[in-house]
Amino acid sequence: MASASSFVRPTTRPDEIHSLLTGVERYNPQKTGLLEDYLARQCANPDSTNNHDLMANLALLKMYQFNPDMVDLDVIRRILAKALISQSTGDFNLCLYLLSDEICKDNSISKLLTLRDYLERAQFTKFWKEVYGGDEEEDSVVDGIAGFDNGLRRLIVGEITSTYQTIPAKSVEAMVNLDEEAVVRLAKENGWSINASGVIALPLKSENEAKATVIKENVKFEQLTKILSAANEI
């Protein structure tokens, strides 16, 4: 689900937008263009850690919900694409809740739903293929989102770090859609080591460290005698 940080004012949010979101004109349809322009600025910012304003984008989707004649499918596409690489995993679904079934049937929106499913299942290779493996003449559903690839790789690296102690470098190449040389740099940036056999060793963390599980059962003497008696009757 979305964390509380998703609703904290980003440092990149202008005062004009903040006043709109916290004031009485939040859903004034005449302010739609203002929110759309702000989304365009978010999409042009390649820093995926500081270029996503969920609160503003939800307000824009709510504006479309109240005014169906104003719906812009390309704007919705970009909002969902931004939410897809958000550090908060629930942002995408929060946006989705404000969309009608008819909007979700749109080809680009439907593709983004498929991409969401691939991410949730950690099927990263399928994700990259879906994004860039289609018709060369067809626009990608993430077109116009600066820093999308790096933002996605940041999420994947987080998953790798919290899941694996060791992993073949070739597997990482496929997961992050990078060549061997780029993965070597990625490993160095994240403090991973690669041995002569091409296996990456990751630092132990609480998430990826195997822990012994001890199961204790508290069976009272009275219960034990009943179990033994029942066993004798079989």
Side-chain angles (χ1 to χ4, degrees), residues 13-44:
R13 181 191 291 168
D15 291 339
E16 182 182 20
I17 297 295
H18 189 68
S19 296
L20 173 62
L21 296 177
T22 56
V24 295
E25 291 199 296
R26 179 185 177 104
Y27 299 124
N28 181 348
Q30 295 181 353
K31 301 295 183 179
T32 302
L34 191 63
L35 290 173
E36 290 174 341
D37 290 343
Y38 178 43
L39 172 65
R41 294 199 294 275
Q42 293 176 57
C43 294

Side-chain angles (χ1 to χ4, degrees), residues 12 38 47 54 69 105 118 123 173 200 202 218-219 229:
T12 52
Y38 178 43
D47 182 2
L54 177 66
D69 57 310
K105 291 177 183 177
Y118 286 152
Q123 296 176 321
E173 290 175 24
I200 295 176
L202 295 88
N218 185 18
V219 181
S229 297

Side-chain angles (χ1 to χ4, degrees), residues 96-184:
L96 192 61
Y97 295 149
L98 296 176
L99 304 182
S100 67
D101 291 341
E102 192 64 30
I103 289 176
C104 291
K105 291 177 183 177
D106 175 77
N107 186 50
S108 61
I109 307 303
S110 177
K111 281 189 176 182
L112 285 163
L113 294 176
T114 299
L115 293 177
R116 185 274 313 268
D117 291 342
Y118 286 152
L119 276 188
E120 289 183 346
R121 299 169 187 164
Q123 296 176 321
F124 304 125
T125 304
K126 288 185 176 181
F127 184 101
W128 292 111
K129 186 176 181 181
E130 180 72 22
V131 172
Y132 296 118
D135 189 341
E136 293 183 0
E137 296 183 359
E138 183 179 347
D139 291 337
S140 168
V141 292
V142 300
D143 278 353
I145 311 298
F148 181 89
D149 289 4
N150 287 336
L152 176 62
R153 289 187 181 107
R154 186 176 288 107
L155 295 180
I156 295 174
V157 166
E159 289 295 323
I160 294 173
T161 302
S162 63
T163 305
Y164 296 92
Q165 293 182 4
T166 60
I167 183 174
K170 288 293 183 183
S171 297
V172 175
E173 290 175 24
M175 292 168 78
V176 297
N177 197 36
L178 291 173
D179 59 25
E180 181 180 355
E181 184 178 344
V183 167
V184 170

Side-chain angles (χ1 to χ4, degrees), residues 183-202:
V183 167
V184 170
R185 291 196 300 270
L186 182 70
K188 186 176 181 180
E189 291 169 0
N190 289 277
W192 304 345
S193 60
I194 306 179
N195 65 21
S197 300
V199 176
I200 295 176
L202 295 88

Side-chain angles (χ1 to χ4, degrees), residues 69-106:
D69 57 310
M70 302 179 71
V71 168
D72 186 327
L73 288 174
D74 191 59
V75 168
I76 294 175
R77 173 190 67 81
R78 284 183 284 144
I79 289 175
L80 291 179
K82 292 289 295 176
L84 203 58
I85 55 172
S86 169
Q87 298 296 310
S88 180
T89 56
D91 288 7
F92 187 95
N93 286 338
L94 283 177
C95 295
L96 192 61
Y97 295 149
L98 296 176
L99 304 182
S100 67
D101 291 341
E102 192 64 30
I103 289 176
C104 291
K105 291 177 183 177
D106 175 77

